[in-house]
Amino acid sequence: MRAGQILWINLLTHGLTGVAMGAEPLSPGAMARPPRPPRQHILGAGVWQRVLLLGLVVASASLGAALWARGGEGRWQSVLFVALLAAQLGVVLGLRERLLTRANPFLPVAVLASAALGAAALYLPFLRDVLETVPLSWGDHAAPAVAGLLGFTTARLPKQGI
């Protein structure tokens, strides 16, 4: 993967969607829960295990997609690019407390905008040249779609100890 591609993905997944995540409504019952112990680490109570699991799934799904598409002409790099973006956007949607809510319309819009800008990196000649991607066929999008679904499904797993 090229440095520009990584920066583009970071911009899309941590910029647009990160800001939109900040507008998510408070979890039900959040104010009724007791506070965490003052000495507890920020990644305590099972948070570090969840972060590790999500990171492993995103990395494995993305690399698996690239291995599936390995071949010439840089196609595998573009599949890796799309798979990493899809897996991270899947995690963003999966972390949402209530999936189908109108309380924060910015998050689905941010995810759609990020996906569109990811597609623009493959199909707009200017961005394709800058980011060194190649256009993908419809069949090439199968593995990235699976990566996105794996990210979403893993994020939906019950939060134990958090």
Side-chain angles (χ1 to χ4, degrees):
M1 223 171 152
R2 308 264 192 248
Q5 294 172 357
I6 294 170
L7 290 172
W8 190 251
I9 288 173
N10 281 341
L11 176 70
L12 298 180
T13 58
H14 297 90
L16 293 174
T17 57
V19 171
M21 285 289 286
E24 277 293 283
L26 192 63
S27 299
M31 297 306 289
R33 287 189 293 239
R36 289 185 173 195
R39 299 219 184 270
Q40 186 180 59
H41 193 276
I42 189 128
L43 295 176
V47 174
W48 75 267
Q49 292 96 333
R50 188 162 167 79
V51 170
L52 180 63
L53 175 65
L54 289 170
L56 285 172
V57 167
V58 167
S60 300
S62 301
L63 291 173
L67 287 173
W68 171 81
R70 69 178 172 229
E73 302 172 13
R75 186 176 72 110
W76 69 270
Q77 287 184 332
S78 294
V79 169
L80 175 60
F81 172 80
V82 175
L84 181 57
L85 179 62
Q88 289 190 8
L89 292 178
V91 167
V92 166
L93 289 174
L95 288 175
R96 199 166 201 199
E97 186 78 31
R98 287 175 245 128
L99 284 180
L100 302 173
T101 179
R102 293 182 188 185
N104 178 14
F106 303 112
L107 188 61
V109 169
V111 169
L112 286 173
S114 293
L117 288 168
L122 296 175
Y123 301 108
L124 289 181
F126 169 72
L127 280 176
R128 192 172 59 219
D129 292 342
V130 169
L131 297 173
E132 301 178 62
T133 59
V134 296
L136 300 177
S137 69
W138 282 106
D140 290 334
H141 288 284
V146 170
L149 187 59
L150 283 171
F152 175 81
T153 304
T154 304
R156 295 303 299 167
L157 292 174
K159 302 172 196 157
Q160 297 166 353
I162 300 175

